Amino acid sequence: MLAIILVFLSAFLLFQVQPIMAKMLLPSFGGGTQVWTACLLFFQAFLLASYGYAHLLSSRFKLKNQFIVHGLLLLVGALALPIGTQALAAPGAHPAWQVLLQLSIAVGLPYFALAATAPLMQSWQAKVDNEHAYKLYSYSNIGSFLALLSYPFAIEPWFALGHQSWLWSGLFVAFAVVFYGYMARFYNQAKRLGTTEKSAFRGGLHHKWLLWLALSGCGVMILTASTNAITQNVAPVPFLWLLPLALYLLTFVLCFHSTKLYHRVFWLAALSVLALIACFLFFIGSQFDIVSQVALYSLVLFAACMVCHGELVKAKPNTDYLTQFYLLMALGGALGTAAITFVAPLVFTLYYEYPLAIAMALMLFAVAVLLDKQHQSSPWLAGSAVVGVAISALLFLWLDSQFKSNDITRLRNFYGLLTVTEVNIDNRVERRLIDGTTTHGVEVLSGPGQGEPQSYYRQQTLVGQMLSELSANAKVGFIGLGAGTLAAYGKPGDHYHFYELNPNVLATAKSQFSYLNASAAQQHYHLGDGRVTLSKQPAQRFDALVLDAFSGDAIPMHLLTQEATDLYLSHLKDNGLLAVHISNTHLDLTPLMRGLAEHFKLAIVYNESKSQQRHGHDVRWVVLSRSAERLASLRSSQSPWPSTTTPFVWRDDYSNLLQAMKFMGD
C-alpha cells in the first residue's frame, strides 16, 4: 500500500509542477502556446534522462546501492528548492532553447529525482511481487491525471504562483522523508526473500523495441499537435494545456489497468470516423464555439491515444525488460515532442503534423496487429486501418487544395503561423493577413476603400477615432503590428513606435502590405515582446499607447495584468491614452478592463462597432486615461457594457481564465 501511495504522490507532484513552471515563464516569452510546447519537450527530455538513470541503476547495481544512490539524489533535489524562475532577457534567435535552459536551472534536479522514482519502484516491486509490477504504472498515471485536473480548479484560482512554489516544494520534502522510510522497510523485506542482488536483466534490446518507440512517440505527437490546435485561438493557459494532457494520461490509466478496456475493433472504428472529423476541424475548426472545438479535438485525441497506448500494452514485455520498456517509451515521447517543437515549424507552413500524427496512429495500429502473434488478430483489421488512412488522406488533400487556392504566402516559426491571402469580393480585391485562423489585417488593393484602414481598425472604431483626433507631432506606441494598418492614421511629424514579437509579422507587413510604406508618420520598430522591451526603456512619454498583440483569438495574458498596466501608464504622458483591443470570439474581457480602470482610478470608454457589409467583423475597443476630460470627445461613441460580470484584475502571479470565458458570464 505504501508503494502505491508513493508512486501516486510522485506522479502527482511531477504533473503539478508542469503548469506552475510554464505559467512562470509566460511573461518572458510572449505568452504563446509555443511556450507550453517547449515546456513539454523539457519535461519529456528529463523524463527520458531519469528513465535512463533508472534503467542503469536497476540493471547494474545491487539493491542496497540503488537505495543509497537514489536517496542521495532526492536529497540533492531537496537542496535545490524552492522551485522558481528568474525573469530572462527578451528571447533571442532560439527562444525554445532558452525555455529549456531556464527550466533546467529552475526545476531540473527535483523533477529528475521524482521522475526516476516510479520506474525504480516498479523494478523493486517486481522482486517481491512480479504479477502487479505493471499495475503501479496505472496508479502512477492516476496521480498524474488528478494533478492535472486539480490545478485549474483547486490550485490556480486560490494560490498565487509564489505560494504554489512553496506548497509544491514542501510536498517534495514530505515525499522524500516518507520515501526514505519506504526504502528501509522494503530492503528488509527483499533481504528476507533473498532478492537483493542485481536485476535479472541480461542486456540487449527486446525485439519489439522499435514498436514501443514508435507508439509512444506517436501518442505524444498527437497530444502536442492537439494542444497547439486547441490553444491557437484561445489563451494558452493551464486549463486548456492540461485538458489534452489529462486525456492523454487517462488513456494510459485505462490501458495499463485492464486490457479489457481496449478492444481493437471498437477503437479502430472510432478513430477512423474521428480522423475524417479531424480533417474538417483542421480547416474550419475556428468556425465552432470554444466548447465544440475543445470537445471534438478531445475526442480525436482520446481515440488516437487509446489506439497507441492500447497497442503499447499489448506489446509490453515481461518484467525483466521493464525499465528498458519505460526508457524506450520516454525516448519516443521526447522524440515526438522534439519533432513538433523543432522539426515541424521548419518543414511545414501549416500545422500538418496534426493530421499526419493521426494517420501515423492508424498505420502503427496496422503494424502492431500484423506483429501480434499471440492474439492472432485477423489481417482484415490491419487492412481496414490502411483503408481508413487512404480515405482520410484523400479528403484532406481535397480540402487543402480548396482552402489554399487564394494563398499568396505562408510563414511559420516559433511564434506561430502567418498566411497572406487575396480574395475578390464584389469587385473589390482584398489582401488579408491571417494569424493562425484569425484575420489580423485587411488591405483593399482595388475598389471602394482602397488605401483606407479596414476591418478591426476602420475609422468608425474607437481606436480610429482616437488616432485621428491626436494633435500634431504625436508620439504613439503600438504593441503588436499586424499588417501595419494603424500606420495609416499617421500624420507628418508623428512618431509611431511599433513593438512586435514575431519577426515574420514585421517582414510580412513591409513586403505584402502598403500601410507602413504609405504612412506619413516616422516609424520606429522594436522586435521583441512589447512588455519586456518597454520595461528596459526609459519613460517614452507617449501621447497614446495601443495594445493589440493577440495571436489569433489567443490572448497573451501577461500583457493584461496589473503589473503590465502599471508599466504602460509609466510610459504615457499624464493625460495620455491607453487603447486596448478586446475583440474575441471566446472571451469577454470587459470585466477585466473595468477592474483595471477601478484599480488605477482611470476613466474608461468602451465601444463596439458592429460589422458592416464592407467590414465583416464586430470590433471591441476600450480607451483608458488618467484624465476624464481627455476622453470627452470619445464619450459620444460609448457603447453599453456587454455584461454585468463583476470586475476583476489579473496579476502576474495570479490569473484565472475561467473568469473571462463567455459561457461563464451573465
Side-chain angles (χ1 to χ4, degrees):
M1 186 63 184
L2 186 57
I4 293 174
I5 293 173
L6 285 170
V7 165
F8 176 93
L9 183 56
S10 68
F12 185 91
L13 290 172
L14 275 179
F15 281 82
Q16 189 84 175
V17 78
Q18 296 186 22
I20 294 173
M21 298 308 303
K23 196 169 180 180
M24 286 181 177
L25 287 172
L26 286 179
S28 297
F29 287 88
T33 186
Q34 67 279 352
V35 174
W36 178 242
T37 304
C39 288
L40 281 179
L41 176 60
F42 166 81
F43 294 122
Q44 290 285 350
F46 265 62
L47 191 70
L48 170 62
S50 64
Y51 279 20
Y53 154 82
H55 176 63
L56 177 65
L57 196 64
S58 63
S59 61
R60 297 290 184 265
F61 291 80
K62 293 181 179 181
L63 188 62
K64 181 178 180 180
N65 293 336
Q66 293 180 42
F67 286 169
I68 293 172
V69 172
H70 196 61
L72 288 173
L73 180 63
L74 281 171
L75 178 61
V76 173
L79 293 175
L81 299 174
I83 59 171
T85 64
Q86 300 297 322
L88 287 181
H94 305 287
W97 289 110
Q98 288 180 268
V99 170
L100 300 183
L101 175 63
Q102 181 75 343
L103 287 173
S104 299
I105 297 170
V107 75
L109 281 172
Y111 186 88
F112 182 89
L114 273 177
T117 299
L120 278 175
M121 289 185 66
Q122 288 176 72
S123 70
W124 298 339
Q125 198 67 25
K127 295 176 181 294
V128 298
D129 184 10
N130 185 71
E131 181 181 351
H132 295 98
Y134 276 112
K135 274 286 180 71
L136 284 179
Y137 190 65
S138 175
Y139 293 119
S140 170
N141 281 292
I142 292 174
S144 305
F145 179 72
L146 291 179
L148 296 177
L149 285 185
S150 65
Y151 185 81
F153 301 108
I155 303 298
E156 185 184 23
W158 303 104
F159 298 96
L161 279 175
H163 296 148
Q164 292 176 32
S165 171
W166 281 105
L167 178 61
W168 190 93
S169 301
L171 287 173
F172 180 93
V173 173
F175 167 83
V177 171
V178 176
F179 191 80
Y180 290 137
Y182 162 81
M183 288 193 294
R185 178 180 173 185
F186 184 86
Y187 183 76
N188 290 330
Q189 182 184 6
K191 193 173 182 179
R192 288 196 303 270
L193 295 174
T195 58
T196 59
E197 297 303 311
K198 287 185 180 180
S199 165
F201 179 72
R202 295 181 176 85
L205 283 172
H206 192 278
H207 66 281
K208 288 189 175 180
W209 72 271
L210 191 56
L211 181 62
W212 302 340
L213 189 72
L215 287 168
S216 58
C218 182
V220 172
M221 288 175 66
I222 293 168
L223 163 67
T224 311
S226 298
T227 305
N228 286 344
I230 291 173
T231 57
Q232 67 174 310
N233 285 315
V234 189
V237 293
F239 173 70
L240 292 175
W241 289 333
L242 301 187
L243 177 62
L245 188 53
L247 292 172
Y248 168 83
L249 289 172
L250 181 59
T251 62
F252 268 120
V253 172
L254 296 176
C255 293
F256 275 82
H257 188 74
S258 173
T259 56
K260 296 179 181 178
L261 296 173
Y262 174 67
H263 192 278
R264 276 176 167 162
V265 175
F266 174 81
W267 288 109
L268 171 61
L271 182 56
S272 298
V273 172
L274 288 168
L276 298 175
I277 294 175
C279 292
F280 289 100
L281 271 177
F282 184 86
F283 294 103
I284 61 172
S286 61
Q287 305 302 313
F288 297 103
D289 62 83
I290 182 58
V291 175
S292 300
Q293 284 190 61
V294 171
L296 289 172
Y297 277 118
S298 296
L299 283 173
V300 176
L301 167 67
F302 188 78
C305 287
M306 280 297 294
V307 167
C308 290
H309 300 154
E311 293 303 326
L312 199 57
V313 170
K314 285 184 180 294
K316 74 178 187 294
N318 60 48
T319 54
D320 287 352
Y321 286 88
L322 183 145
T323 54
Q324 184 184 101
F325 177 63
Y326 288 132
L327 176 61
L328 286 164
M329 280 176 55
L331 177 59
L335 292 175
T337 312
I340 301 297
T341 305
F342 293 111
V343 179
L346 296 176
V347 176
F348 303 130
T349 55
L350 278 178
Y351 295 110
Y352 287 131
E353 61 268 24
Y354 177 67
L356 285 175
I358 296 170
M360 181 179 173
L362 287 167
M363 293 303 296
L364 285 174
F365 173 89
V367 172
V369 167
L370 294 176
L371 292 177
D372 188 359
K373 306 301 181 184
Q374 181 179 353
H375 295 87
Q376 298 180 341
S377 299
S378 301
W380 70 268
L381 272 177
S384 299
V386 174
V387 170
V389 172
I391 294 173
S392 298
L394 290 173
L395 174 63
F396 184 86
L397 291 172
W398 179 76
L399 290 171
D400 188 51
S401 66
Q402 299 300 309
F403 276 83
K404 70 180 183 182
S405 58
N406 295 320
D407 290 357
I408 301 297
T409 186
R410 289 177 180 170
L411 294 171
R412 184 178 175 185
N413 61 7
F414 178 79
Y415 299 106
L417 169 69
L418 292 177
T419 306
V420 178
T421 66
E422 210 167 275
V423 295
N424 192 321
I425 302 176
D426 297 329
N427 296 321
R428 194 171 76 146
V429 179
E430 293 184 359
R431 181 166 291 182
R432 299 175 178 176
L433 175 66
I434 300 174
D435 190 333
T437 59
T438 302
T439 301
H440 268 225
V442 175
E443 181 175 3
V444 178
L445 301 182
S446 64
Q450 184 175 357
E452 299 175 3
Q454 304 292 321
S455 186
Y456 299 109
Y457 315 103
R458 55 188 184 261
Q459 293 177 353
Q460 298 85 353
T461 61
L462 199 60
V463 71
Q465 296 176 53
M466 181 195 77
L467 292 173
S468 298
E469 293 176 3
L470 289 178
S471 58
N473 302 316
K475 183 178 182 182
V476 186
F478 300 86
I479 299 180
L481 174 64
T485 310
L486 291 175
Y489 291 98
K491 299 179 285 291
D494 289 348
H495 285 259
Y496 277 15
H497 291 256
F498 292 97
Y499 298 84
E500 176 54 50
L501 175 67
N502 188 348
N504 281 350
V505 170
L506 177 57
T508 303
K510 286 184 171 182
S511 63
Q512 301 295 333
F513 298 86
S514 66
Y515 290 119
L516 295 178
N517 295 330
S519 176
Q522 185 172 341
Q523 297 154 38
H524 312 267
Y525 304 108
H526 310 269
L527 272 177
D529 179 77
R531 177 177 169 180
V532 174
T533 306
L534 280 173
S535 68
K536 296 178 179 180
Q537 293 180 339
Q540 294 296 301
R541 303 283 296 166
F542 289 127
D543 293 284
L545 181 61
V546 179
L547 176 57
D548 180 36
F550 298 171
S551 175
D553 265 337
I555 61 169
M557 295 175 70
H558 73 290
L559 295 179
L560 298 174
T561 63
Q562 174 183 317
E563 293 85 352
T565 305
D566 188 45
L567 174 68
Y568 305 148
L569 294 174
S570 71
H571 281 279
L572 287 170
K573 292 180 178 178
D574 291 340
N575 64 345
L577 303 172
L578 174 62
V580 185
H581 187 192
I582 58 171
S583 305
N584 197 279
T585 305
H586 313 298
L587 305 175
D588 178 12
L589 297 174
T590 54
L592 173 60
M593 294 296 104
R594 288 158 52 210
L596 290 170
E598 290 179 7
H599 179 82
F600 288 100
K601 296 179 173 54
L602 304 174
I604 184 170
V605 173
Y606 163 74
N607 172 263
E608 181 174 0
S609 300
K610 294 296 185 180
S611 62
Q612 303 169 3
Q613 185 174 1
R614 282 172 50 191
H615 304 286
H617 303 101
D618 290 344
V619 186
R620 291 181 174 187
W621 283 89
V622 296
V623 177
L624 306 97
S625 179
R626 297 187 186 94
S627 170
E629 293 79 10
R630 194 77 162 79
L631 297 181
S633 62
L634 301 177
R635 290 288 180 193
S636 59
S637 301
Q638 173 79 50
S639 300
W641 291 106
S643 74
T644 58
T645 303
T646 303
F648 56 84
V649 173
W650 288 339
R651 305 189 308 271
D652 283 350
D653 67 345
Y654 175 82
S655 56
N656 183 4
L657 183 72
L658 295 178
Q659 293 173 305
M661 283 289 189
K662 288 184 176 178
F663 64 81
M664 300 293 292
D666 294 338

